[in-house]
Amino acid sequence: MIVVSSRTSVHLAEKIAKDRDFTSAEVEKTVFPDNELRLKIRGKLKGEEVLTVGSTNSSESIVELALLLNAARECEPKSLTCLIPYFGYARQHKRYNEGEPISSKALTMALGQFPDSMITIDIHDEQTLGYSRKPFHNIRIERPVSDYFGGRRVDCVISPDDGCVVKAAAIAQVLRAETGHMEKKRIDANRVELRLPELDFRDKNVLLLDDVISTGGTTIKAVKLFREAGAKNVDVCAIHGVFANNADGKISVFADELVVTDTLNTRFSRISVVDEVLRFLRRSA
Ligand code: R5P
């Protein structure tokens, strides 16, 4: 399989291409005088199985991925699979207010016209998969997270809302820890109200688990609540570290440890999703 990557995911594409079943094709990127992106895939994709890798965490990255997918399709590959490690815009997976878009549907339909199938990783809500007319699979990243925390004593794995309950419970089971979730009410994009679950956190090692950290508002508030409740240690883990407005720096002040996966390339990306991606690709080959 030949891997081609957009700029958001070069770090992942390089790791995937280290596997003996993969090679990578270089993508040349320049800009036109008016700042429009110009890209060119170097290497022959005709008749080959091709995997594009690109996250959609910004408007620019969405345009780049659309161009990359179209460029790959125009090369007439045998098959074209699109991996979107972090599917941005997935948090608006339904229409919250009249006049607003279903953003994840818009993206799925726009990008989904080019590949034969799509793959993403721990998407915010699996409802988005149903917006695709083609196969669209969500890879869940529980195993590498459990492995990462496996050697330490974790007393409870807590999700900051009901969205990560299943994941927190699965990881808690492996770590032989308690699990629960907070009650969360979002006031606006920057403010949330949180309430701890009815558990005793005194002298406990807590692992706060979320799917995505954006502004860090949820995380910081949750960590403070655990401290107030007497927790001994509070580690924070999220699958996707978006870290808007230096959120990672702010969280580091409050948490004992902050760790995210490498769906996005951050200085806290110490858990890799690559083995899970390779496992999935092999299974579906
Ligand atoms: C929301 O449902 C997600 O699971 C995250 O908790 C949320 O997106 C985090 O956002 P922020 O970091 O801006 O509080």
Side-chain angles (χ1 to χ4, degrees):
M1 200 168 212
I2 301 179
V3 186
V4 286
S5 171
S6 75
R7 281 171 294 190
T8 60
S9 303
V10 172
H11 65 293
L12 269 187
E14 281 173 356
K15 290 182 198 172
I16 291 171
K18 280 192 181 136
D19 186 274
R20 63 187 152 81
D21 292 338
F22 296 82
T23 55
S24 59
E26 202 190 316
V27 184
E28 190 184 292
K29 284 147 202 151
T30 49
V31 280
F32 287 104
D34 57 2
N35 266 335
E36 286 180 1
L37 178 65
R38 179 184 198 180
L39 59 79
K40 183 182 171 73
I41 300 172
R42 297 242 171 238
K44 294 271 168 287
L45 302 191
K46 189 167 181 162
E48 301 286 349
E49 293 180 322
V50 175
L51 174 73
T52 63
V53 191
S55 289
T56 56
N57 50 319
S58 66
S59 305
E60 267 189 13
S61 64
I62 293 166
V63 172
E64 184 174 341
L65 182 57
L67 297 181
L68 185 68
L69 282 165
N70 180 256
R73 176 50 83 202
E74 293 294 326
C75 292
E76 299 175 22
K78 180 177 167 199
S79 68
L80 181 58
T81 305
C82 171
L83 168 64
I84 304 180
Y86 170 63
F87 195 108
Y89 285 84
R91 286 185 291 171
Q92 219 160 352
H93 57 90
K94 55 187 179 188
R95 199 180 63 155
Y96 289 96
N97 299 296
E98 207 175 312
E100 290 181 353
I102 304 173
S103 306
S104 71
K105 184 179 187 178
L107 238 65
T108 302
M109 293 178 83
L111 297 172
Q113 61 189 298
F114 304 107
D116 300 305
S117 62
M118 295 206 287
I119 307 167
T120 190
I121 294 171
D122 270 324
I123 193 162
H124 177 70
D125 192 294
E126 291 198 344
Q127 191 175 340
T128 298
L129 307 177
Y131 297 139
S132 177
R133 296 198 184 96
K134 297 175 184 168
F136 189 5
H137 187 87
N138 183 40
I139 301 177
R140 300 210 180 116
I141 302 297
E142 275 135 35
R143 191 187 333 228
V145 174
S146 309
D147 288 350
Y148 184 84
F149 287 97
R152 359 180 155 173
R153 190 182 140 201
V154 175
D155 298 308
C156 33
V157 183
I158 307 293
S159 150
D161 54 38
D162 56 9
C164 252
V165 170
V166 175
K167 182 178 297 303
I171 292 167
Q173 192 180 14
V174 176
L175 300 177
R176 296 169 198 266
E178 285 185 288
T179 189
H181 72 91
M182 300 172 117
E183 291 301 330
K184 174 158 126 184
K185 191 170 155 205
R186 186 163 279 287
I187 305 178
D188 57 37
N190 288 298
R191 289 179 306 151
V192 289
E193 273 175 15
L194 285 177
R195 194 156 51 83
L196 289 180
E198 299 282 324
L199 291 172
D200 183 2
F201 292 106
R202 274 172 302 173
D203 295 322
K204 296 281 174 65
N205 294 323
V206 179
L207 172 58
L208 177 71
L209 183 80
D210 207 347
D211 61 333
V212 48
I213 297 175
S214 177
T215 65
T218 305
T219 304
I220 292 172
K221 190 155 243 173
V223 173
K224 284 181 177 169
L225 286 177
F226 290 126
R227 299 264 187 238
E228 283 165 22
K232 184 165 78 184
N233 194 80
V234 186
D235 293 335
V236 173
C237 177
I239 306 303
H240 312 289
V242 174
F243 299 144
N245 304 326
N246 188 32
D248 47 349
K250 293 177 203 158
I251 294 167
S252 308
V253 174
F254 296 97
D256 289 291
E257 179 173 359
L258 169 62
V259 62
V260 293
T261 76
D262 56 0
T263 55
L264 294 169
N265 197 18
T266 81
R267 63 190 167 123
F268 295 99
S269 300
R270 288 192 289 273
I271 299 175
S272 185
V273 299
V274 169
D275 286 348
E276 297 301 301
V277 169
L278 292 176
R279 195 171 283 131
F280 175 79
L281 289 171
R282 287 211 174 91
R283 257 203 336 259
S284 46

